[in-house]
Amino acid sequence: AAFNRAHEVTAEFDELKGIHNELEVARSQQQSLLPIEKTFAKYQAVEQKLSGLIEIQDLLSRWYAHFAYQLWSQQAGLKQTEIKQLQSAVNQTQAEHSQQQIVVDDYYQRYQQLGGASIENLKHQLEEQQQLLSVLRQNVRDYQQLCRSLELSVDVNHQQLAENQQLTGERLKQLEARLEELEAARDLLTQHTLNAEDESKSLQRQISEVLAAPGSNIPADFLRFQQALADELQLTPEQIPYIGQCVEVQDKDWQGAIERAIGSHRLRLIVNARDIRKALDWVNQRDNRLHVRLMNAADYQQYKQPLTDGFCHKLTFKAGEHKQLVENFLASIDRHCVASAEILRDTAFGLTRQGLMSGKRGLFEKQDQRSLNQGWMTGFDNRNRLNELRLQGEKAKQQARDYRQQFETLKAEQKLLSQQQLSLQQLKTLEFSELDVSGAESNLNTLKLRLKELQDPSSDAAKAEQLWEAAKAELHELQNKINAQTVKLQLAQQMLNDANKKALQVKQRINTALTQMQIDLVADSYVIPEYQQLDMLADLERDAMRDSQHKIVTQTGKRNTLEGQLVRYMMKALEKDTGALSEAGSDLEDVPAYLHRLNQLTREDLPNKLDRFLLYLNQSSDQGVTQLLTRIDNEVSIIEERIEELNATLKRVDFQAGRYLQLIPQKVNHDSLQTLIRARKDLRSAELQDDQGESHYRALMVLIQLLREAVDRKRTRPAQALLDPRYRLQFSVAVIERETGVVLETRTGSKGGSGGEKEIIASFILTASLSYALCPKNRTSPLFGSVILDEAFSKSSQAVAARIISALREFGLHPLFVTPNKEMRLLREHTSSAVLVHRRHQQSRALSLSWQDIDRHLTKREASQQKNNEISG
């Protein structure tokens, strides 16, 4: 029954689990919507702040213009007051200046009347004479320095100057002649230097071109022509090779001579017969800028035997379709290679290692326009030409450097001589009056003496001059004062104009006057400018605009971030709620739908589901699990009570003389039961937690899982210990002395004691078990107490059998004994009748007789047997 009820409880919990899943779905939906609510609140706050920042930015320019107009107007007023004060001061000073000018004029007229004109004239002449003396002294120093450089006498007089000028004329002629020579040499060196540098640059270009074509020693111009012809014929350059590209000289000692022997044929292009017509037409109709040489491959197909001692044996021919053709052609111009000119004299068409060649008898030639190791064009790579060009390039560079150095040396000499020429020309045209320092000094002394006489302090003219100079000094101070005041007045006037102009400009920016609320709005974020910051207004406004823009950008970024978060949260919420939000989008305008759904969940769906969940949770916990476990505990208690009843019966029957048995129940501490106890404890603790039943549900789920496992494995010992009350207890047997009540021994199993003791204990326990199993509830004796004992007391003594039978009667049982005839006497005292079973042959008979009938039959049988014995005796 407990297992069945446990199965029902787990089934009921499945329904609770479904309700919980619905609640969890609703909670999950709510949790997915809570970030939207929180983020949307932040978004609205950011949006509101952004709107305020934008409004402030829109007002900022007019706000600064408002205060700028006030400050510029304030400055204009201050400058107007300052101008009035400065103008009054200028007028007063000018009046003083006019009065002082009259005093100065009066003193000047008196000074002139007393000889002041002569003094002023002498002072002017004295200044001019001093300046002239300084010039003459500098001329003397320059003249003496020039004479030293020209190794001439430095004495300053008429005669020495004339001698120096005469020597200067002679040197000047020599110097001019040398300069003409240097000019001609410079022109020549310039040409040589430019030519050498051009040659060096040309060789460097050729080296670059050769490096770009590593497979040939052919000059770059001819390679370009080869490429152009190949493009025209729609071929590759390798299909129209030069003869020089097809051979390579093995013996480098002979290469220069063989190169001369092959000669211009090295630059002859080999053209196949199918392309020769087109090639000739193309070459003919254009200016090729080269000596073009072509060969028709069809004309040299016939084999030609080379000379046995010719240079052809010193060649390596490039493999390919033109190899045999080249061998045939070179065999036709082959020459005998001889060791000396002596042998060459008697050899027609011979060739020496040094490049001397013979023709028909008596004809010899050697082409020494260039060195024998230059101009090589044969070979399968460009090493020869590259080495040659590099040597030529280094030589050209060195020659260019030499020419450049000579040019710079000549240029320096020419510059030095030109400077000497100029100095000589200056010396030649020099007049002695330009060096007459003594005459100038004499005139200066004369003028000083005359001025000293006129400026005698005791004279009336000197006194008048002093009064005039003092009046002029005071007039000069007044003029300086007027100038300073005028500058201040002009500056103030300019500042007034600027203030009025700027006030007008900023006023034009205020197209609509600001309200006090707008002024205060901007003033909350930015400091109102003061008069001391008038010149910084543009910077302040620019900084404020930059700061405002930065704040707007920052807030816009936050708004965009929050908007992106809202979109992501809405998409996640759509994944959680595909019902109420199935038609909602994930745009910003869809947020109210999500907030409405959150409000609906918070106020309606979740409370209803939570109430239903808590109701089912309490019912499942109280009416299901708790009742089930309580019922099992009650049944265990009932078993313990019935054991006490059995013990009362056992106490009335002697187990042994003066002793009786007692069953001692003990709680079973199985691991599964301990786990169940802990789970029940956790469940009671969870019921007290205020978390909307979640802890209660989780604790109940653990307990339900234990019950589910027990139901699924009902035949296992852990499951039985969990749900079967019979397995909640285990028993031991105690032997108690009747008189003292002392426990003599306790047995928990079959170990120890004799076989008879074990048998009687087993018989007593079996009797108690039968009474327990057959006795209904609320009764003290079995309703049906007949039991059959097969082979009863076959090994027991009469005393033991009597105690067992007494126990059976005490437990309310009616025993039926099945035993052989030999045990009849043992049972006769405890039974009223017997069923006799007799088998004869193939038939068996059963007859129920009382012990009295059996005795009469036995007596009758014994009497009949005695009578027969008497008759036979």
Side-chain angles (χ1 to χ4, degrees):
F3 279 99
N4 292 335
R5 180 53 186 158
H7 180 72
E8 294 174 359
V9 168
T10 58
E12 292 171 358
F13 182 78
D14 290 338
E15 184 176 359
L16 174 63
K17 187 176 181 180
I19 298 173
H20 180 264
N21 290 339
E22 293 178 5
L23 179 61
E24 284 300 307
V25 169
R27 284 176 174 171
S28 176
Q29 293 173 358
Q30 183 193 38
Q31 292 300 318
S32 68
L33 292 170
L34 286 175
I36 298 177
E37 181 183 39
K38 183 178 180 181
T39 306
F40 187 66
K42 292 181 180 179
Y43 177 86
Q44 288 179 320
V46 170
E47 182 69 23
Q48 182 178 2
K49 186 174 181 180
L50 179 61
S51 299
L53 290 173
I54 294 174
E55 182 180 1
I56 290 174
Q57 187 182 49
D58 293 340
L59 296 172
L60 202 56
S61 179
R62 294 165 55 201
W63 188 79
Y64 269 100
H66 171 80
F67 287 104
Y69 177 76
Q70 292 182 355
L71 294 177
W72 285 119
S73 299
Q74 180 181 354
Q75 186 178 38
L78 294 174
K79 291 303 173 183
Q80 286 178 347
T81 303
E82 183 181 357
I83 287 172
K84 291 179 181 179
Q85 295 174 353
L86 288 172
Q87 186 63 57
S88 176
V90 169
N91 293 337
Q92 182 178 355
T93 307
Q94 285 179 343
E96 294 176 359
H97 182 273
S98 300
Q99 187 66 33
Q100 185 63 26
Q101 184 65 50
I102 296 173
V103 173
V104 170
D105 292 341
D106 291 342
Y107 282 132
Y108 181 72
Q109 290 178 2
R110 185 179 178 186
Y111 171 63
Q112 290 291 327
Q113 292 173 358
L114 297 174
S118 299
I119 293 174
E120 290 182 6
N121 187 26
L122 284 174
K123 286 182 178 180
H124 180 69
Q125 293 178 12
L126 187 60
E127 289 177 0
E128 290 180 349
Q129 193 64 29
Q130 287 176 341
Q131 293 176 0
L132 176 61
L133 181 60
S134 298
V135 172
L136 293 176
R137 287 172 177 171
Q138 183 62 41
N139 290 343
V140 169
R141 287 193 293 269
D142 294 340
Y143 167 75
Q144 290 178 339
Q145 183 178 0
L146 180 59
C147 290
R148 291 189 191 95
S149 64
L150 298 176
E151 298 180 354
L152 299 175
S153 176
V154 295
D155 295 338
V156 181
N157 52 63
H158 282 283
Q159 182 179 358
Q160 189 62 52
L161 177 61
E163 292 178 0
N164 287 346
Q165 288 178 339
Q166 183 179 1
L167 294 173
T168 298
E170 296 174 358
R171 289 188 181 183
L172 192 57
K173 292 179 181 180
Q174 297 173 359
L175 189 60
E176 290 175 350
R178 178 57 181 166
L179 284 173
E180 291 178 358
E181 294 176 1
L182 290 176
E183 185 65 28
R186 179 176 176 178
D187 293 340
L188 182 61
L189 274 175
T190 300
Q191 186 63 36
H192 290 332
T193 302
L194 294 175
N195 291 339
E197 290 176 348
D198 291 342
E199 178 67 16
S200 177
K201 293 178 182 177
S202 175
L203 288 171
Q204 289 301 319
R205 285 195 300 271
Q206 293 182 46
I207 289 173
S208 300
E209 292 172 349
V210 170
L211 288 173
S216 174
N217 281 317
I218 302 300
D221 293 343
F222 287 89
L223 290 176
R224 286 194 289 271
F225 176 79
Q226 181 188 31
Q227 181 65 53
L229 180 57
D231 293 341
E232 178 66 22
L233 299 178
Q234 297 181 352
L235 302 172
T236 62
E238 290 74 15
Q239 291 176 298
I240 52 170
Y242 287 102
I243 290 178
Q245 293 174 322
C246 297
V247 297
E248 189 172 65
V249 181
Q250 301 175 14
D251 191 346
K252 298 304 178 184
D253 292 338
W254 279 88
Q255 181 156 357
I258 295 173
E259 293 269 352
R260 287 186 180 180
I262 300 175
S264 61
H265 293 303
R266 295 171 297 175
L267 296 176
R268 189 173 297 278
L269 284 167
I270 303 172
V271 183
N272 292 325
R274 64 179 180 274
D275 299 317
I276 191 64
R277 182 186 299 275
K278 185 176 180 180
L280 292 174
D281 290 341
W282 183 74
V283 171
N284 182 59
Q285 56 84 27
R286 70 190 297 269
D287 182 6
N288 300 288
R289 300 180 183 275
L290 291 174
H291 185 166
V292 180
R293 300 173 181 85
L294 302 179
M295 172 191 288
N296 188 353
D299 295 334
Y300 291 91
Q301 298 295 328
Q302 186 175 359
Y303 176 74
K304 177 73 173 177
Q305 179 68 37
L307 300 175
T308 57
D309 59 349
F311 63 73
C312 285
H313 294 289
K314 300 182 183 295
L315 300 177
T316 299
F317 294 88
K318 189 174 185 179
E321 61 175 324
H322 300 110
K323 178 181 178 184
Q324 188 59 50
L325 182 147
V326 175
E327 290 179 355
N328 296 339
F329 176 75
L330 293 181
S332 66
I333 61 171
D334 200 3
R335 289 179 179 271
H336 300 277
C337 294
V338 299
S340 65
E342 186 69 22
I343 301 174
L344 183 68
R345 186 185 61 187
D346 300 326
T347 305
F349 300 103
L351 175 67
T352 66
R353 185 182 287 106
Q354 292 76 21
L356 181 61
M357 293 182 288
S358 64
K360 294 181 179 181
R361 180 173 294 276
L363 298 178
F364 306 94
E365 64 179 41
K366 188 180 182 188
Q367 303 171 4
D368 277 340
Q369 296 92 334
R370 64 173 64 187
S371 175
L372 197 63
N373 59 357
Q374 294 180 349
W376 294 358
M377 298 181 189
T378 63
F380 303 151
D381 55 43
N382 64 353
R383 286 181 297 177
N384 294 334
R385 180 162 180 77
L386 188 59
N387 291 335
E388 181 182 346
L389 287 174
R390 283 175 174 169
L391 290 174
Q392 293 177 5
E394 289 298 326
K395 183 178 179 180
K397 280 184 181 179
Q398 185 59 44
Q399 189 175 23
R401 285 195 292 267
D402 293 343
Y403 280 137
R404 175 61 66 180
Q405 185 175 2
Q406 294 175 20
F407 175 80
E408 294 297 333
T409 302
L410 188 147
K411 183 179 178 183
E413 183 182 358
Q414 189 179 26
K415 181 178 180 181
L416 179 60
L417 294 179
S418 297
Q419 292 175 351
Q420 291 181 2
Q421 182 186 28
L422 181 61
S423 299
L424 291 172
Q425 289 175 348
Q426 291 176 351
L427 181 57
K428 186 178 179 180
T429 59
L430 187 64
E431 297 290 340
F432 181 75
S433 59
E434 299 177 20
L435 303 175
D436 191 7
V437 175
S438 59
E441 289 177 346
S442 177
N443 293 333
L444 180 62
N445 291 330
T446 302
L447 291 174
K448 286 181 177 180
L449 182 60
R450 292 176 59 191
L451 180 61
K452 185 178 180 181
E453 293 175 353
L454 292 175
Q455 288 184 330
D456 185 3
S458 60
S459 65
D460 294 336
K463 294 178 181 179
E465 182 183 13
Q466 291 175 358
L467 294 174
W468 176 54
E469 291 293 340
K472 281 200 304 181
E474 187 176 352
L475 180 65
H476 182 69
E477 290 178 0
L478 290 173
Q479 184 61 48
N480 290 338
K481 187 176 181 180
I482 291 173
N483 293 339
Q485 291 174 341
T486 302
V487 169
K488 289 182 179 180
L489 180 61
Q490 292 174 350
L491 181 60
Q493 186 65 47
Q494 182 63 38
M495 294 178 71
L496 174 62
N497 295 336
D498 291 342
N500 290 329
K501 181 178 179 181
K502 290 180 179 179
L504 180 60
Q505 290 175 350
V506 295
K507 186 177 182 180
Q508 293 174 352
R509 289 168 54 190
I510 310 173
N511 48 12
T512 304
L514 294 176
T515 64
Q516 187 60 40
M517 184 181 295
Q518 291 174 331
I519 294 173
D520 294 340
L521 175 64
V522 182
D524 291 338
S525 300
Y526 297 97
V527 179
I528 296 175
E530 299 178 353
Y531 182 76
Q532 294 80 0
Q533 298 174 311
L534 190 59
D535 295 333
M536 301 167 56
L537 284 177
D539 294 335
L540 293 174
E541 182 177 357
R542 184 166 53 253
D543 293 341
M545 292 296 291
R546 188 183 298 113
D547 177 69
S548 176
Q549 183 62 31
H550 175 71
K551 290 180 180 178
I552 290 174
V553 170
T554 301
Q555 288 300 116
T556 302
K558 290 181 180 179
R559 183 189 65 181
N560 295 339
T561 301
L562 291 172
E563 186 173 347
Q565 291 178 354
L566 280 172
V567 172
R568 289 193 294 273
Y569 289 148
M570 285 189 285
M571 293 179 67
K572 290 181 180 179
L574 285 176
E575 295 176 0
K576 299 291 184 180
D577 192 339
T578 57
L581 297 176
S582 58
E583 296 182 359
S586 58
D587 296 326
L588 201 60
E589 57 267 18
D590 297 313
V591 171
Y594 292 85
L595 298 180
H596 175 72
R597 176 58 178 161
L598 175 61
N599 184 56
Q600 184 180 12
L601 282 170
T602 304
R603 294 190 177 183
E604 299 177 11
D605 290 2
L606 268 175
N608 294 336
K609 286 183 172 59
L610 181 59
D611 292 342
R612 184 169 169 235
F613 167 70
L614 293 176
L615 175 63
Y616 273 79
L617 177 63
N618 293 328
Q619 290 178 354
S620 179
S621 179
D622 296 338
Q623 301 177 12
V625 175
T626 304
Q627 289 182 5
L628 171 63
L629 299 179
T630 302
R631 182 181 299 175
I632 294 174
D633 293 338
N634 291 336
E635 289 181 1
V636 172
S637 299
I638 292 172
I639 292 174
E640 291 177 338
E641 292 175 359
R642 294 188 63 186
I643 293 299
E644 291 180 359
E645 295 174 357
L646 292 177
N647 282 333
T649 304
L650 285 173
K651 189 175 182 180
R652 293 195 298 269
V653 181
D654 282 341
F655 162 64
Q656 293 174 347
R659 299 177 180 180
Y660 63 91
L661 296 178
Q662 290 288 285
L663 295 175
I664 300 175
Q666 296 174 346
K667 299 290 186 179
V668 175
N669 291 324
H670 197 275
D671 292 342
S672 62
L673 189 58
Q674 295 298 322
T675 303
L676 179 66
I677 292 173
R678 288 194 297 270
R680 291 187 66 182
K681 183 178 180 181
D682 294 340
L683 180 63
R684 287 192 293 269
S685 300
E687 290 175 352
L688 301 177
Q689 296 187 19
D690 186 13
D691 57 356
Q692 297 183 339
E694 279 301 312
S695 299
H696 188 183
Y697 173 76
R698 287 194 294 270
L700 181 62
M701 184 165 53
V702 172
L703 202 149
I704 291 295
Q705 184 62 28
L706 294 175
L707 296 178
R708 194 186 303 278
E709 292 177 357
V711 171
D712 294 340
R713 302 177 180 180
K714 62 175 63 178
R715 297 188 181 278
T716 62
R717 187 59 180 270
Q720 292 172 343
L722 203 66
L723 295 177
D724 195 335
R726 296 173 299 175
Y727 291 89
R728 293 283 187 92
L729 298 172
Q730 62 184 5
F731 302 94
S732 61
V733 178
V735 180
I736 302 174
E737 189 175 13
R738 187 175 296 279
E739 292 183 359
T740 62
V742 176
V743 178
L744 300 178
E745 62 176 326
T746 302
R747 294 180 180 273
T748 58
S750 61
K751 294 181 179 180
S754 63
E757 291 178 345
K758 295 177 183 179
E759 180 183 3
I760 192 171
I761 290 175
S763 299
F764 270 70
I765 299 303
L766 176 61
T767 301
S769 299
L770 289 172
S771 176
Y772 177 87
L774 298 175
C775 184
K777 294 180 179 180
N778 302 321
R779 288 182 62 90
T780 59
S781 61
L783 184 64
F784 176 79
S786 298
V787 295
I788 298 174
L789 300 179
D790 191 16
E791 296 288 337
F793 311 119
S794 59
K795 297 180 180 180
S796 301
S797 64
Q798 292 185 2
V800 171
R803 286 195 292 271
I804 292 175
I805 292 171
S806 177
L808 289 171
R809 289 174 178 171
E810 287 294 334
F811 282 109
L813 297 175
H814 178 243
L816 298 177
F817 303 106
V818 178
T819 185
N821 289 335
K822 65 179 181 178
E823 303 296 337
M824 294 292 288
R825 294 183 183 87
L826 175 64
L827 296 176
R828 184 170 184 173
E829 297 179 0
H830 306 288
T831 59
S832 59
S833 63
V835 177
L836 302 177
V837 179
H838 179 70
R839 182 175 180 180
R840 175 177 290 180
H841 303 298
Q842 298 297 323
Q843 295 180 348
S844 298
R845 294 181 180 181
L847 178 64
S848 176
L849 298 172
S850 65
W851 291 112
Q852 291 80 6
D853 293 338
I854 292 174
D855 287 341
R856 285 195 296 270
H857 282 294
L858 182 59
T859 302
K860 184 177 180 180
R861 182 178 178 183
E862 289 179 351
S864 177
Q865 186 177 2
Q866 185 177 5
K867 182 178 180 180
N868 290 336
N869 290 335
E870 290 177 354
I871 293 175
S872 55

